[in-house]
Amino acid sequence: MYKRINPYFDDLLPSWQFGYRSKRGASDQLLRLVSVLQDKKASGVHSGILFLDIKKAFDRVNTRTLICDLHTHGLRGRTIFAIQNVLSDRFVRALYKDHAAEGYI
């Protein structure tokens, strides 16, 4: 699914967005951050950093809005249908030894 979606969004994402992009990772982002901070320091600018990790942020995305945005950017057919199915009425069943748990997420 990633291979089908990526061509639609690679040009839309800002250059500093490294998540879900090939040949880019956390170490690249760290090097970018250090470079920016060094440039600011050399220019006499004081910098502060705030890191924010929103747990389960993707679970809070409005599914209808996301699907509409994907459609607006040209995603069609089975790929958008598959994404819609994954994001709607998600049901999970977990089994561990003799125990089972299930429910909608």
Side-chain angles (χ1 to χ4, degrees):
M1 190 177 293
Y2 171 78
K3 288 181 182 180
R4 289 185 181 187
I5 295 172
N6 190 49
Y8 291 95
F9 301 105
D10 200 45
D11 293 336
L12 295 174
L13 296 173
S15 61
W16 48 265
Q17 171 83 34
F18 285 13
Y20 303 104
R21 296 178 97 171
S22 63
K23 300 179 183 176
R24 299 179 194 175
S27 57
D28 297 308
Q29 195 65 288
L30 181 59
L31 288 172
R32 182 181 173 277
L33 174 64
V34 169
S35 176
V36 168
L37 291 173
Q38 287 174 338
D39 290 345
K40 297 290 183 186
K41 184 177 180 182
S43 300
V45 175
H46 296 282
S47 300
I49 299 174
L50 172 66
F51 292 98
L52 179 62
D53 182 15
I54 302 173
K55 293 184 185 225
K56 298 187 179 184
F58 193 73
D59 293 340
R60 292 175 173 82
V61 170
N62 183 305
T63 305
R64 283 187 183 154
T65 303
L66 176 62
I67 296 300
C68 286
D69 285 349
L70 294 174
H71 191 270
T72 298
H73 290 291
L75 199 60
R76 304 277 193 284
R78 285 191 245 166
T79 305
I80 199 165
F81 183 71
I83 293 169
Q84 190 171 11
N85 283 336
V86 166
L87 295 176
S88 63
D89 297 326
R90 293 179 282 174
F91 187 82
V92 175
R93 177 176 293 137
L95 301 172
Y96 179 73
K97 295 185 180 181
D98 294 334
H99 303 286
E102 57 186 32
Y104 287 95
I105 58 170

